[in-house]
Amino acid sequence: MDQQDMFDKDALVEVHTCVLCNGDIEHQKTPDGQVFWNRGHNAEPLAEGACCEVCNNTKVIPARLSAYIGKGEQND
C-alpha cells in the first residue's frame, strides 16, 4: 500500500482553528507540497485541543518549560 493511500485526502483539506488565537492551523506539507498533517499541535497545558505553530512556539512550549523548571526548583 502506498503511504499516500493511508490518508483520507479530503480530511487533509479541512482547515482547523487554533484554540488559543482562533487563527487557522497551518497545513504541514512534504517537500513536494502535499499536505500530510493539518491538525496542529497539542495546546496542553494552556488549553484542551489543538493550536497553530505560532502559539505552540510562543505560548505552549514556554509554558511547558516553565512548569518543568518550576518542578525542578521545588525538589531542591
Side-chain angles (χ1 to χ4, degrees):
M1 174 186 285
D2 188 317
Q3 188 173 13
Q4 291 228 325
D5 294 335
M6 294 171 40
F7 299 106
D8 179 357
K9 293 175 185 142
D10 291 333
L12 291 176
V13 175
E14 295 176 38
V15 176
H16 298 275
T17 303
C18 174
V19 297
L20 298 176
C21 73
N22 293 316
D24 291 344
I25 292 177
E26 307 85 358
H27 291 175
Q28 302 295 312
K29 298 179 180 181
T30 62
D32 63 349
Q34 293 194 4
V35 175
F36 67 89
W37 186 253
N38 68 342
R39 304 232 177 212
H41 302 272
N42 181 353
E44 296 283 344
L46 299 180
E48 191 174 308
C51 67
C52 67
E53 189 162 354
V54 171
C55 287
N56 187 57
N57 292 339
T58 62
K59 298 175 183 178
V60 175
I61 291 174
R64 290 178 183 167
L65 289 173
S66 179
Y68 178 76
I69 291 168
K71 286 182 181 179
E73 290 173 356
Q74 292 174 359
N75 293 334
D76 291 341

